[in-house]
Amino acid sequence: MIIWYFYIMPTPFKLIPACVLLCLAFVANAAIPVDTIIKRPVPISKTMSYQVSDFSVYFKEGIASIRKDSMDKGVKLLSTGFGYVLSKGDIQRVLSYQLLELIDLIDITARGKLSPAEVVPMHAFLKGVFADSSGNIVKTVLPYINKAPSTTFVKRLKLLLQFDTPDKINSDLNKLLIEKPDLLGANLLKAEILFGQDKFAETVGYCTKVISLSPQYAHAYHLRAKSYEGLKLHSKALVDYDQTIKLFPAHFEAFYERADIYMDEDKYRQAINGYLQTLAIVNNYKWCHYNLARAYKDVNMTDSAMFYINLHLNTYKEDADGFNIKGEIFYAMDDYPAAIAQHNRAIAYNPNRSDFYEERGDAYFYAKDITNAMVDFKKAFSMDKNNKYLMDRIGNCYHSNGDEVKAISWYQAALKINPNYKYAYVDMDISLNKLGRYKEAIAALEKAVAIDSTYAIANGNMGWDYYCLGNYDACIKHSYKALNYQEDATYAMFNIALATLAKGDFEKARELYTQFVKTCKEKNYPINDGAITDLNDLIKKKIMVKEATYIIENILRKTD
């Protein structure tokens, strides 16, 4: 879309002639009525020798006239052309400072509002833009400006000439804003400069001023939205992105950036809509395909995720991030060998990313290749020494290898980095339980529950620790808590029934086993072998042998 030649900030002056000649391609599709910014198109001359609908001729002949030193004629033709463009669409709502100011200064010049002394530097400027092939427009035009009277027009022209060198114009811009605080162009230029310096709070103030002067100026809302995003004020940014899109429905950058916020907030379906809307306007814009793959993966739509990551990799054939996400998609599909293959490619293209080794380590771990998982987690850890997740995963590897003492040391290291990392407490509980250190295991889980009282696994595992201590009532209590927060926690169900049987209440236990098996069948919850294993342990300990055998044979083994 040609509009973005005007929108992108900044545009080199030497490219402006080409932009002017191309801009009309957008106008045919513009549908929103214009009522702000440039309010008065220059009337069309009735003596024109060509069709007035062929707007591009105004620009072509205007530029040609300037190149032939027919300045007055060239200025009027350009002004007429811009007037028609701005009267037919909403293009001006997204113009950045440079083009908006250029059009306005041309319009003022064409209307004969300047003194002869002001016309001289303006003509020199236009020749520099449209006729000077040297590219050094500042060196050519600045002497004319310095000789001209210090009027508001000349000050604006000087700022436009050097708008991309903030250090040189900042003092002059501040003085002009004091003299003319309601000058739209000056406020906009200040906002763009501040944004370029990452001074987002100050940018917001100037954007707000611009919006008060021109309430339908989409570019100001967009710039303020990006500033709010820079300040991490996402709710305010979303409001301004919405307004930007309302004022300019073809604003694909606003769709894209709004979708990025939704991704950051884990609102994946909204993000998906935003990226799809972006692609409906501009095909293959930035990393839309990549981000769609991420979003679809996170809503478990792996087929769609794979479709979009393949589109992304068709364009960016050596993108390490793309192969890494493709590996994550295979991982989500439980295809660990395929995931490992994609992570191998990611690492081949960029061997210096700790997260790539982390992702491949996870795939190795669940492929039950603990040796390679350990290698990858330790490699990633060597690159990111403060990563609590990696410490926890290394602990998981030691646990899988049966080395509970080393596992616990890594969980403790993770908790030293972040004492509120609840997952490490749960993992530590498992290792402590294996070592028969049940009270310490319970103490670890109490810390996890203090961090998150709704953490189902922590409550459920605490129930099992209490069972191991012979405190069956506490086991039942905490297992019910786990079920309250996670209704498919089948291990908690059968721990309740098991503890009830261990207490000697066979009738109640039989009722519970029957009820839980029925629930699992109705809701398609898996019943793992642990339920039978735990009953067999009771039998080995000579506890409720007859009753445990009955439940195994008549309830659990008849689940089919």
Side-chain angles (χ1 to χ4, degrees), residues 13 138 142 157-166 168-169:
F13 279 113
V138 175
L142 196 56
L157 182 61
K158 185 177 182 181
L159 292 174
L160 176 60
L161 178 68
Q162 302 179 94
F163 80 101
D164 56 349
T165 54
K168 293 182 180 180
I169 65 171

Side-chain angles (χ1 to χ4, degrees), residues 56 59 206 270 309 335 355 372 460 490 497 521 549:
S56 65
F59 296 112
Y206 281 97
Q270 292 97 316
I309 200 60
D335 189 345
D355 56 320
N372 277 317
T490 55
K521 285 183 176 180
T549 303

Side-chain angles (χ1 to χ4, degrees), residues 27-326:
V27 176
N29 294 323
I32 300 177
V34 176
D35 56 8
T36 59
I37 314 292
I38 305 297
K39 296 183 180 290
R40 183 175 53 261
V42 176
I44 304 174
S45 168
K46 295 183 179 180
T47 62
M48 301 297 286
S49 59
Y50 38 77
Q51 294 292 322
V52 294
S53 60
D54 186 8
F55 300 149
S56 65
V57 176
Y58 289 106
F59 296 112
K60 292 175 183 177
E61 292 199 9
I63 293 170
S65 296
I66 288 172
R67 289 174 176 171
K68 294 175 182 178
D69 283 332
S70 298
M71 300 302 298
D72 290 339
K73 178 182 177 182
V75 168
K76 289 181 179 179
L77 287 168
L78 288 178
S79 182
T80 300
F82 280 125
Y84 261 103
V85 169
L86 301 180
S87 70
K88 296 295 181 181
D90 55 356
I91 186 173
Q92 83 283 24
R93 294 182 177 180
V94 290
L95 293 181
S96 63
Y97 160 79
Q98 183 191 17
L99 271 298
L100 190 70
E101 190 75 345
L102 174 65
I103 292 170
D104 199 31
L105 295 184
I106 288 174
D107 180 50
I108 292 171
T109 305
R111 287 188 281 114
K113 298 295 184 179
L114 303 180
S115 67
E118 291 173 310
V119 169
V120 172
M122 181 58 180
H123 283 181
F125 174 78
L126 292 174
K127 289 196 69 172
V129 172
F130 294 108
D132 187 358
S133 60
S134 70
N136 196 343
I137 184 174
V138 175
K139 184 177 179 180
T140 302
V141 178
L142 196 56
Y144 290 97
I145 291 176
N146 290 335
K147 292 177 184 178
S150 187
T151 63
T152 298
F153 180 90
V154 173
K155 291 175 183 177
R156 290 174 64 186
L157 182 61
K158 185 177 182 181
L159 292 174
L160 176 60
L161 178 68
Q162 302 179 94
F163 80 101
D164 56 349
T165 54
D167 292 342
K168 293 182 180 180
I169 65 171
N170 198 50
S171 177
D172 288 341
L173 176 57
N174 290 338
K175 289 177 183 177
L176 182 58
L177 284 167
I178 293 171
E179 295 171 9
K180 301 286 184 180
D182 292 337
L183 198 59
L184 187 145
N187 281 282
L188 178 58
L189 176 57
K190 187 69 175 180
E192 290 184 356
I193 289 173
L194 290 168
F195 180 81
Q197 297 170 343
D198 294 340
K199 296 178 179 178
F200 302 122
E202 295 174 70
T203 305
V204 166
Y206 281 97
C207 286
T208 301
K209 176 66 174 180
V210 172
I211 290 167
S212 73
L213 296 170
S214 181
Q216 295 195 30
Y217 188 28
H219 176 55
Y221 285 102
H222 182 222
L223 194 59
R224 192 170 70 175
K226 294 196 292 183
S227 299
Y228 280 134
E229 189 172 357
L231 294 169
K232 309 298 183 186
L233 299 173
H234 285 180
S235 60
K236 290 187 175 183
L238 289 172
V239 170
D240 275 353
Y241 280 129
D242 288 344
Q243 185 64 13
T244 302
I245 293 166
K246 179 179 179 181
L247 291 170
F248 194 80
H251 204 303
F252 54 85
E253 281 199 349
F255 279 115
Y256 183 87
E257 290 156 1
R258 186 177 66 176
D260 281 346
I261 291 181
Y262 287 135
M263 280 295 292
D264 289 342
E265 295 185 343
D266 298 337
K267 297 177 180 177
Y268 301 118
R269 294 194 180 277
Q270 292 97 316
I272 287 167
N273 288 336
Y275 293 129
L276 291 175
Q277 287 168 314
T278 304
L279 290 175
I281 302 168
V282 177
N283 186 39
N284 201 17
Y285 179 68
K286 285 190 176 178
W287 279 41
C288 267
H289 293 148
Y290 173 85
N291 287 328
L292 278 166
R294 290 170 57 214
Y296 276 120
K297 173 183 71 70
D298 288 328
V299 295
N300 298 316
M301 296 178 66
T302 52
D303 288 344
S304 294
M306 191 64 73
F307 172 79
Y308 281 105
I309 200 60
N310 285 334
L311 286 180
H312 173 79
L313 289 169
N314 285 341
T315 302
Y316 303 97
K317 299 183 184 302
E318 298 183 359
D319 178 50
D321 285 290
F323 286 111
N324 190 61
I325 289 294
K326 191 169 183 178

Side-chain angles (χ1 to χ4, degrees), residues 466-480:
Y466 276 116
Y467 175 86
C468 294
L469 280 173
N471 189 338
Y472 303 127
D473 288 332
C475 170
I476 293 168
K477 172 186 173 183
H478 287 283
S479 297
Y480 271 120

